[in-house]
C-alpha cells in the first residue's frame, strides 16, 4: 500500500502560510492514562517516523485569501488516532477559532480512538463534539475534508458533524474501519464516493481542485448580510395569463426556464451542498451558496420534479446553516407536489415537509421566494417565505393540481379548466389574495 500523505502535505495542498497554534501543556504520565506497557515507546517511534509529537497538527492560515483555523491529522502517528493530547489540541484550535472569529477546516485522516488510552480516548469524542457545538453556536462555519482513511469517531464527530463535507477521491470513509467490518461487507460502501451518493457528504474533490474549492466555500460562508436577497427577474413570459388553465399550461411547458437557468443568471459563481445526512439525495432540489452582486446568498431550488423526502431535508439543512451564519436565502418554487409513492412514505415525507416548514418559520435570516413554475400544494408551500413570496408570469400556485381538485370535488374531466379558474391560481390572483408580492421587476409594463 502506498504511503499516505502526511498532515503537512495535506496542509500544503490548501495553503502555504500555515502558522501552528502552540500545543497546550499537559503533564505526561508513564504509559499514558492507562499506564499501558510499551505505549511510550510506540509514541516515540511514531514521532521519529513522522516528525510530529501527536496525531494532529493545528494552526492558522489563509486559504485563497480567507483566514481560517486548520486541523490536519497525521495518520502516520498511531493511525491518526484520537487520544487525550489530541483532544487538548482540538479544543485549543476551536477556542482560537472562536476567539478570533475564524472558520474551521479539518483535514481528516484517522482510524478512530486510541486503543492504548481506552475510555479516556473514547471520551475525547464528547470533548470534540462540545467544541464543535460551541463553534456552531458562535455562528462560525466548519468544513471537513475526508482523507484516506476517515473512520470511527473521527468520522462521527469532526467529519460527519461539519457543515460542509468534501472528500478526496477514493478515500476510505465510514464509521467502521477496515479491521472491524463484517467479513462479507462490500468495501465499495465505505468510500468517499459512496458517502456522497448516500447523502452523507457533499462532494468528491480532486487534490488539484481542493484549494480553490475550499477558498470559494470559505469566502462565501464568511460573508454574512442582513439584507434580503432580491427576487430574480423572470426569464420566460412577461405577459400575464388570461385564465387559470393558461397559467397551468405555461408552468408545465417544457420550454419554460427551469431552476438551473435562474441560478445561472442570478449568481456569478456558486457551490452546492448535497444530501440530507440521513441516507438520501434528491436531484430535484438544488441547494448551495452563491455570489450575487458581490454578496453571499444561499439558495434552495426545486427543479420541476416531485420533491422527495431527502430534498426537503436537504433544503431544511441549507436554511438552518444559512440562518446560523447570517446569510440571506433565496428559494425557487417549482414542483407539481411532494412525492407520494410508497417509498416516499417509508422515507418520512410528511416529517420531512414538517421539518422544512419549521426551518422556514423559525429562520431569523431573511428568506425570499420566487415561484418560477408549478406551485403544487403543501409540497411547494413548505419552501415559500411567508410575506416575501413572488411569482413569475409563467407560474401558478394552487392548493392542489386542478385535475386532482376536480376529482376530489367529483367533477367530470371537462370541468378541470373551469376549476383552475375557480381556484384562482394565476400570479395576479395570488397578488390579489395577498399570497404573493409584485412590482415592476417581475411584471414590467
Amino acid at each position: 500500500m502506498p504511503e499516505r500523505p502526511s498532515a503537512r502535505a495535506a496542509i500544503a495542498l490548501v495553503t502555504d502560510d500555515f502558522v501552528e497554534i502552540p500545543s497546550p501543556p499537559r503533564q505526561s504520565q508513564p504509559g499514558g492514562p492507562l499506564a499501558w506497557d510499551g505505549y511510550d515507546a510506540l509514541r516515540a517511534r511514531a514521532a521519529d517516523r513522522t516528525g510530529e509529537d501527536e496525531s494532529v497538527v493545528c494552526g492558522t492560515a489563509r486559504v485563497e485569501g480567507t483566514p481560517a483555523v486548520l486541523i490536519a491529522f497525521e495518520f502516520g502517528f498511531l493511525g491518526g488516532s484520537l487520544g487525550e493530547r489530541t483532544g487538548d489540541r482540538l479544543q485549543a484550535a476551536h477556542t482560537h477559532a472562536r476567539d478570533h472569529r475564524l472558520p474551521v477546516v479539518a483535514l481528516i485522516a484517522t482510524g478512530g480512538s486510541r486503543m492504548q488510552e481506552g475510555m479516556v480516548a473514547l471520551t475525547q469524542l464528547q470533548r470534540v463534539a462540545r467544541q464543535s457545538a460551541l463553534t456552531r453556536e458562535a455562528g462560525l462555519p466548519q468544513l471537513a475534508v475526508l482523507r484516506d482513511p476517515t473512520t470511527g469517531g473521527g468520522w462521527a464527530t469532526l467529519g460527519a458533524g461539519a457543515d460542509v463535507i468534501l472528500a478526496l477521491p477514493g478515500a476510505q470513509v465510514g464509521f467502521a474501519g477496515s479491521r472491524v467490518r463484517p467479513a462479507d461487507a462490500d468495501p465499495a460502501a465505505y468510500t468517499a464516493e459512496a458517502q456522497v451518493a448516500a447523502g452523507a457528504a457533499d462532494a468528491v474533490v480532486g487534490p488539484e481542485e481542493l484549494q480553490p474549492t475550499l477558498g470559494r466555500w470559505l469566502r462565501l460562508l464568511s460573508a454574512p448580510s442582513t439584507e434580503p436577497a432580491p427576487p430574480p427577474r423572470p426569464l420566460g413570459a412577461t405577459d400575464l395569463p388570461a385564465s387559470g388553465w393558461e397559467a397551468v399550461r405555461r408552468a408545465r411547458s417544457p420550454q419554460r426556464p427551469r431552476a438551473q437557468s435562474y441560478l445561472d443568471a442570478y449568481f456569478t459563481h456558486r457551490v452546492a451542498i448535497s444530501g440530507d445526512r440521513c441516507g438520501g439525495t434528491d436531484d430535484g432540489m438544488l441547494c448551495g451558496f452563491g455570489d450575487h452582486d458581490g454578496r453571499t446568498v444561499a439558495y434552495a431550488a426545486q427543479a420541476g420534479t416531485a420533491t422527495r423526502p431527502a430534498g426537503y431535508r436537504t433544503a431544511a439543512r441549507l436554511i438552518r446553516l444559512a440562518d446560523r451564519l447570517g446569510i440571506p436565502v433565496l428559494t425557487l418554487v417549482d414542483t407539481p407536489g411532494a412525492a407520494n409513492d410508497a417509498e416516499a412514505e417509508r422515507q418520512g415525507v410528511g416529517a420531512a415537509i414538517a421539518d422544512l416548514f419549521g426551518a422556514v418559520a423559525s429562520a431569523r435570516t431573511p428568506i425570499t421566494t420566487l415561484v418560477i413554475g408549478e406551485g403544487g400544494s403543501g409540497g411547494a408551500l413548505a419552501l415559500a417565505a411567508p410575506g416575501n413570496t413572488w411569482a413569475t408570469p409563467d407560474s401558478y400556485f394552487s392548493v392542489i393540481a386542478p385535475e386532482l381538485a376536480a376529482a376530489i370535488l367529483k367533477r367530470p374531466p371537462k370541468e378541470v379548466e373551469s376549476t383552475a379558474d375557480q381556484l384562482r391560481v394565476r400570479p395576479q390572483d395570488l397578488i390579489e389574495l395577498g399570497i404573493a408580492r409584485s412590482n415592476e421587476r417581475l411584471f414590467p409594463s
Side-chain angles (χ1 to χ4, degrees):
M1 178 182 292
E3 187 173 343
R4 293 179 170 96
S6 68
R8 305 281 174 173
I11 292 168
L13 274 178
V14 300
T15 186
D16 57 8
D17 66 350
F18 180 77
V19 177
E20 199 162 341
I21 296 172
S23 300
R26 176 179 285 274
Q27 186 69 36
S28 294
Q29 305 172 41
L34 303 187
W36 188 283
D37 186 36
Y39 182 36
D40 293 339
L42 283 174
R43 288 178 54 88
R45 286 197 295 273
D48 287 343
R49 186 169 56 251
T50 64
E52 308 293 350
D53 59 0
E54 193 40 79
S55 62
V56 69
V57 178
C58 304
T60 58
R62 289 185 176 271
V63 181
E64 298 263 303
T66 302
V69 166
L70 297 188
I71 295 168
F73 278 77
E74 176 54 70
F75 189 78
F77 193 101
L78 302 181
S81 56
L82 282 79
E84 196 170 26
R85 291 201 297 185
T86 319
D88 291 344
R89 294 190 178 187
L90 294 174
Q91 179 170 319
H94 275 272
T95 300
H96 186 92
R98 294 192 297 271
D99 289 345
H100 297 273
R101 304 295 303 166
L102 297 175
V104 176
V105 178
L107 308 171
I108 307 170
T110 175
S113 300
R114 190 168 300 170
M115 299 299 100
Q116 294 84 355
E117 295 188 19
M119 280 300 299
V120 174
L122 188 65
T123 58
Q124 300 309 304
L125 303 182
Q126 295 172 321
R127 192 177 179 190
V128 170
R130 174 62 177 163
Q131 291 305 309
S132 178
L134 291 173
T135 301
R136 187 177 300 114
E137 289 173 7
L140 299 169
Q142 299 174 65
L143 293 83
V145 177
L146 312 181
R147 298 156 55 212
D148 184 47
T150 298
T151 59
W155 165 230
T157 52
L158 285 163
D163 299 318
V164 177
I165 305 173
L166 309 176
L168 293 175
Q172 180 186 171
V173 180
F175 184 62
S178 59
R179 297 184 184 182
V180 297
R181 295 172 195 156
D184 59 350
D186 178 7
Y190 300 85
T191 63
E193 290 78 5
Q195 297 292 353
V196 171
D202 292 297
V204 173
V205 181
E208 68 287 348
E209 290 298 318
L210 186 57
Q211 182 171 344
T213 300
L214 275 177
R216 284 192 293 273
W217 271 112
L218 289 170
R219 282 193 299 275
L220 289 168
L221 297 186
S222 302
S225 171
T226 58
E227 291 297 313
R233 293 184 180 277
L235 300 179
T238 55
D239 61 311
L240 294 171
S243 68
W245 187 246
E246 183 186 348
V248 173
R249 286 195 305 105
R250 283 188 184 190
R252 293 176 179 174
S253 169
Q255 283 72 46
R256 174 184 55 78
R258 281 353 195 229
Q260 197 74 250
S261 297
Y262 275 93
L263 296 176
D264 288 344
Y266 193 80
F267 292 112
T268 305
H269 61 270
R270 62 186 191 274
V271 289
I273 69 168
S274 175
D276 63 359
R277 300 294 188 264
C278 299
T281 61
D282 180 6
D283 292 339
M285 182 72 81
L286 310 177
C287 295
F289 295 81
D291 181 286
H292 175 73
D293 287 346
R295 68 191 186 102
T296 302
V297 173
Y299 64 87
Q302 290 168 319
T305 57
T307 305
R308 304 205 61 80
Y312 291 115
R313 285 191 284 261
T314 304
R317 177 167 79 91
L318 180 280
I319 289 169
R320 290 193 174 103
L321 175 56
D323 187 45
R324 180 156 46 81
L325 300 179
I327 293 172
V329 179
L330 170 70
T331 67
L332 302 180
V333 168
D334 184 11
T335 180
N340 59 6
D341 54 87
E343 186 59 26
E345 294 294 346
R346 281 191 288 268
Q347 294 170 357
V349 64
I353 293 172
D355 188 46
L356 180 54
F357 268 120
V360 171
S362 61
R364 295 157 298 178
T365 198
I367 301 177
T368 302
T369 297
L370 180 63
V371 186
I372 62 170
E374 291 195 80
S377 195
L381 188 67
L383 199 60
N388 198 26
T389 288
W390 311 72
T392 64
D394 46 8
S395 69
Y396 80 90
F397 218 142
S398 179
V399 63
I400 197 168
E403 298 92 334
L404 299 178
I408 290 171
L409 297 171
K410 299 181 180 179
R411 294 179 175 180
K414 65 181 181 180
E415 294 186 25
V416 168
E417 295 185 18
S418 61
T419 300
D421 288 331
Q422 285 184 287
L423 288 170
R424 300 196 67 190
V425 301
R426 301 175 303 170
Q428 61 265 45
D429 296 326
L430 301 175
I431 293 165
E432 291 179 11
L433 292 169
I435 307 299
R437 300 176 61 185
S438 176
N439 65 10
E440 289 299 309
R441 181 180 178 87
L442 291 179
F443 298 135
S445 54

